[in-house]
Amino acid sequence: MISFYWLIFPALAAAVLGMRTLGRRLPLLPEKTAGRLLLGLTAAVFAVYAMLGWWKYGAFQYGLWDFGIYDSLLHKTAAGEGIMQDFRGGLYDHFSPVLLLLVPLYRIWDSPMQLVWFQAAAMAAGIPLFYLLSKKYLRNAGAALTAAVLYVLNPYYSRIALYDFHIECLFPAFFFGAFLARAHGFRRTGVLILMASIFIKEDFVIPVAATGFFFLFSRPDRKYGVALMTWSVLMTFVVLKIYFPCFSTSGYWHYGRYELLAPTLEGTVRNIFFMLRRVVIGGPGASASVLMSLLLPFALLPLLHWKMFLFVLLPALGIQLASTAVHQNLLASHYSSALIAVVPVAALWGMRVLRVRGGLAGISWKRLVFGVLCFGAVWHIFTCDLPMTRYNNYITGWEGKYHFGMLSVPLRPAYYLGMLEQDIRGEELRQVLPLIQPGSRVMCQNELGCPLLRAYQVRDFSGSLDADYFLFDSQLYGGGNSPETLNAALQTLLAMPDVRILYRDKGILLLERAAGRAK
């Protein structure tokens, strides 16, 4: 493992080479050509991530947490078995009314592939919206296409597009659409779109409120800024004090990650102090490295517009750094969902500054565009997530075995051998599943559970060993179940007189309890 900061040197070398060659000789693209390339890019991104998602599902690379939660929730709702209830029982533990819009898709075709393709489509939908927004402000189709390409090449884009389905995949399209409406003079429409984005998930009150604060510095937008900030405060109260206490039996347990209010004033002040300390000093996530991991894919462009950087980008990042959860500190998996929308817009505002200046440090605007594009492309090749990557990050250090690809398509031939092995493994697992009696209670590792959700009552090993069947696979990532948890569960089960080994081969182990045989 090496520091990801070393990647700056090859990216910088590519930027200099791009400015001295392409930037000197090639003109910026005409609008018609840029438009065709944009359509090709959008179609390619959708096709690649839809196909990779299809492979991941068949190769047992999605988990009960979180892909299975969304799939079971929509399956149950579409089948009339309860609204917004997943396989764990009880109401879904987030505020996401927008999820109900996917129910008709499940009524037409009840398949987990709906989530795979919807996520790929939702992520791809943001590309033309961001292009149109960039073209409005940069007044150049080639530069706007560059901005759109940088958005796609952001390694956090690949992280969300490949990870387990999350409804947060809709947020970039909402955010870009709101700014696009504003850019064309439809300010009220843009504000309504931002307000509606909170219904995707309660987390988005932060970027919406931050955008409202940013609008306060623009005279035509001040009243809309006040409206957005007021709406965010109101929705926070509704979610935390009405929705969860009155409708959810589980309560909003995520609140404990960054709890602010305490029973006493002294306790509240102490909580504020510790939250700020985590943000400024950095906990496990090393705040400076996390911030740089957001800025470097965009060649530090967001720094050129200090208002957008301070008032929109930093709050969206700060709420993650304030968390006590290390996955949030490191923006792992879906925790960068707000930032993959906010950072490109901040970078666009930085590009506007360069356009107005005509360049920077004696380098022309056209050559800077090529340099930024080359920098972002090389950074992407080294850091984009690949299909078999789960829960990994390059912030604390870079390891080539997890990365090196283009649009998450591996550039190392050896990687395809690993994918083929996982394909074979998936087929072996599917041959074992018919041994389990339909309707039985099954405990399994996180990544093994998704294909079982329709026919069985499924959960992972995070609870008591109360099930009819227990499925293990030594070759798959354990997900939410650590090796220590799995080994302890296995030792306990093997010591039970009513549990027997039903199948054991090639690292796959299926145990059966007497209750399962009785069925």
Side-chain angles (χ1 to χ4, degrees):
M1 179 183 292
I2 63 173
S3 170
F4 86 100
Y5 285 110
W6 286 105
L7 303 180
I8 293 174
F9 296 104
L12 192 59
V16 173
L17 183 63
M19 287 188 291
R20 292 178 65 86
T21 56
L22 298 176
R24 180 179 295 175
R25 299 174 184 175
L26 296 179
L28 292 176
L29 293 174
E31 185 170 345
K32 185 176 291 187
T33 303
R36 290 172 179 169
L37 290 173
L38 175 81
L39 291 177
L41 174 67
T42 304
V45 168
F46 168 74
V48 166
Y49 284 108
M51 291 177 65
L52 289 177
W54 172 79
W55 174 85
K56 283 172 68 72
Y57 185 82
F60 289 81
Q61 293 290 299
Y62 287 130
L64 283 170
W65 301 62
D66 295 288
F67 190 95
I69 291 175
Y70 284 103
D71 178 47
S72 60
L73 182 155
L74 291 166
H75 166 73
K76 286 177 176 290
T77 303
E81 298 177 9
I83 298 177
M84 299 291 282
Q85 296 184 19
D86 56 56
F87 71 89
R88 300 169 298 175
L91 195 68
Y92 177 54
D93 55 354
H94 282 288
F95 178 75
S96 299
V98 168
L99 268 172
L100 295 175
L101 297 179
L102 276 66
V103 172
L105 297 178
Y106 268 68
R107 296 278 294 187
I108 297 171
W109 183 39
D110 186 5
S111 168
M113 286 299 102
Q114 294 278 19
L115 300 185
V116 172
W117 295 331
F118 182 87
Q119 179 153 285
M123 296 289 289
I127 302 172
L129 291 173
F130 188 60
Y131 168 78
L132 294 173
L133 174 65
S134 301
K135 191 172 68 168
K136 178 67 176 179
Y137 283 118
L138 299 178
R139 301 178 184 176
N140 184 289
L145 181 63
T146 296
V149 170
L150 286 176
Y151 163 63
V152 173
L153 296 184
N154 178 10
Y156 286 106
Y157 183 102
S158 65
R159 179 169 297 180
I160 295 177
L162 278 181
Y163 188 61
D164 294 15
F165 175 84
H166 278 79
I167 194 62
E168 289 97 313
C169 64
L170 279 172
F171 184 71
F174 272 63
F175 199 72
F176 298 154
F179 273 87
L180 181 61
R182 174 179 177 269
H184 285 275
F186 301 103
R187 285 180 162 82
R188 184 175 299 176
T189 301
V191 167
L192 291 175
I193 294 173
L194 282 172
M195 288 180 169
S197 69
I198 296 177
F199 291 93
I200 299 175
K201 204 170 186 181
E202 71 279 349
D203 300 17
F204 297 128
V205 295
I206 300 298
V208 170
T211 303
F213 188 72
F214 174 74
F215 283 171
L216 295 180
F217 293 89
S218 172
R219 182 170 296 179
D221 293 314
R222 283 177 183 169
K223 62 179 180 180
Y224 299 118
V226 172
L228 286 174
M229 295 173 70
T230 304
W231 175 251
S232 299
V233 172
L234 176 63
M235 287 306 299
T236 301
F237 175 82
V238 168
V239 170
L240 295 181
K241 301 301 181 182
I242 298 178
Y243 178 76
F244 281 104
C246 299
F247 296 96
S248 176
T249 56
S250 61
Y252 187 57
W253 60 274
H254 302 274
Y255 184 53
R257 294 179 181 177
Y258 27 70
E259 190 168 359
L260 179 63
L261 300 178
T264 65
L265 177 61
E266 179 184 358
T268 300
V269 172
R270 188 183 305 113
N271 287 348
I272 294 174
F273 171 78
F274 282 119
M275 286 178 65
L276 291 175
R277 183 178 182 275
R278 282 198 298 269
V279 171
V280 176
I281 299 177
S287 302
S289 294
V290 175
L291 177 60
M292 289 302 291
S293 74
L294 292 169
L295 297 177
L296 285 170
F298 294 91
L300 305 181
L301 286 172
L303 293 175
L304 296 178
H305 196 280
W306 66 270
K307 291 179 182 177
M308 179 65 76
F309 174 75
L310 287 179
F311 303 142
V312 182
L313 193 158
L314 284 187
L317 172 62
I319 192 62
Q320 306 300 340
L321 297 180
S323 171
T324 58
V326 65
H327 277 182
Q328 284 190 251
N329 297 156
L330 294 174
L331 306 181
S333 58
H334 63 289
Y335 288 114
S336 59
S337 54
L339 288 158
I340 66 165
V342 168
V343 180
V345 173
L348 172 59
W349 257 244
M351 290 185 74
R352 288 178 65 195
V353 173
L354 288 179
R355 183 187 67 80
V356 172
R357 292 178 181 175
L360 184 68
I363 304 174
S364 70
W365 159 245
K366 183 183 75 170
R367 294 177 68 182
L368 280 172
V369 168
F370 280 105
V372 166
L373 180 60
C374 292
F375 188 99
V378 170
W379 194 268
H380 168 84
I381 289 172
F382 278 101
T383 60
C384 74
D385 273 6
L386 297 182
M388 292 190 291
T389 302
R390 282 184 66 77
Y391 307 108
N392 192 58
N393 66 83
Y394 63 89
I395 296 168
T396 54
W398 182 78
E399 294 185 73
K401 65 179 180 179
Y402 293 118
H403 304 289
F404 204 68
M406 175 57 69
L407 290 184
S408 298
V409 176
L411 295 179
R412 290 182 291 110
Y415 199 95
Y416 291 98
L417 294 177
M419 293 177 67
L420 178 60
E421 291 174 0
Q422 195 55 56
D423 259 336
I424 297 172
R425 193 67 174 183
E427 186 57 35
E428 292 172 347
L429 282 163
R430 278 187 287 274
Q431 291 176 5
V432 174
L433 299 185
L435 299 175
I436 305 174
Q437 293 292 326
S440 300
R441 298 171 299 167
V442 182
M443 294 190 75
C444 59
Q445 292 160 243
N446 186 46
E447 274 72 20
L448 298 180
C450 290
L452 283 69
L453 285 171
R454 296 291 190 279
Y456 310 104
Q457 303 172 46
V458 189
R459 56 192 178 91
D460 67 358
F461 285 95
S462 57
S464 61
L465 301 176
D466 182 19
D468 303 314
Y469 294 88
F470 306 87
L471 180 62
F472 298 85
D473 182 4
S474 62
Q475 302 301 311
L476 268 182
Y477 182 80
N481 305 128
S482 67
E484 294 77 14
T485 299
L486 295 174
N487 285 327
L490 182 56
Q491 294 300 321
T492 302
L493 289 168
L494 292 175
M496 293 181 177
D498 63 336
V499 174
R500 67 166 181 165
I501 297 176
L502 187 61
Y503 181 91
R504 180 179 62 185
D505 189 27
K506 301 177 182 178
I508 300 173
L509 179 63
L510 177 63
L511 304 180
E512 180 187 44
R513 194 188 295 273
R517 292 196 294 273
K519 289 185 179 181

